[in-house]
Amino acid sequence: MRFARYQYGNELPRDGWVFKDQIGLLEGKPYEEFRRMEIERSLDSVRLLPPILPGKIVGVGRNYADHVKEMNNPIPEIPLLFLKSPSTLIGPGDLIMIPPQSAQVEQEAELAVVIGKKARWIEAGDAYQYVLGYTIANDVTARDIQRKDGQWTRAKGFDSFCPLGPWIETDFDPADAMITCHVNNEMRQMVSTREMLFTVPQLIAFISSVMTLFPSDVILTGTPAGVGPIYPGDTISIEIEGIGELRNPVGSR
Ligand code: ZN
């Protein structure tokens, strides 16, 4: 099943469920009690919003060996965590804004996990019970600032630096799905999620041993090799097999 958030004209944002190229209203929240109302509109007549409003976005750095190598970093022995502010979120089709403080903003195509149940000290073997579903993220990063600061909050924290969507797919196996990323017509990234150094269940176990994960929280599972600069006028397209495509144009402030 696919959950989305959407807006029709000037109406208030709504929770919805997607069936093929149609969207219907969802009464309640996807991680609580909900009821699927009748299909009401075609997908192309509405604006899709970020499919969830997370309390927090937990990022995982260096989770694919080929990306660790391209950045000349050592292979991590435990997951490397960081936080992205919810104010970074934008939806499908929204502009990624290049800030004036950076001369090197890069795309990072990632599988995103959406938490469905409160989770603390979870064993990897039980982790899937706490997942609502999966979506696509672009962990946009100002690489020059990341190098300069050491801490990653500013480099990954600019407004618009977390495109998310187009929807949450509940029927998805994160063990072996292809992620591809195009910048305009150029293929930049292509890898299977089986290349992750730490799997989704291992990440949930590790993160929940540090902080409570709440329903709606999002985990970005790391990017494979092939990150590179993006500029105003570019269009970034990320596809994950079994979920769909997240597309965002690039502008500047
Ligand atoms: Zn990332």
Side-chain angles (χ1 to χ4, degrees), residues 45-119:
S45 72
V46 303
R47 177 179 169 213
L48 287 177
L49 305 170
I52 194 94
L53 294 176
K56 60 180 170 292
I57 304 167
V58 184
V60 179
R62 302 173 189 166
N63 201 28
Y64 288 86
D66 58 348
H67 174 62
V68 176
K69 242 176 266 168
E70 80 176 342
M71 307 302 280
N72 293 314
N73 288 313
I75 299 283
E77 282 166 23
I78 54 170
L80 174 60
L81 303 185
F82 61 92
L83 287 170
K84 253 172 123 85
S85 162
S87 52
T88 57
L89 276 181
I90 58 173
D94 290 345
L95 270 179
I96 298 167
M97 298 297 256
I98 306 288
Q101 297 97 318
S102 174
Q104 191 189 357
V105 173
E106 298 187 344
Q107 100 290 345
E108 294 191 359
E110 308 198 4
L111 173 70
V113 182
V114 183
I115 297 297
K117 261 201 301 195
K118 187 174 166 183

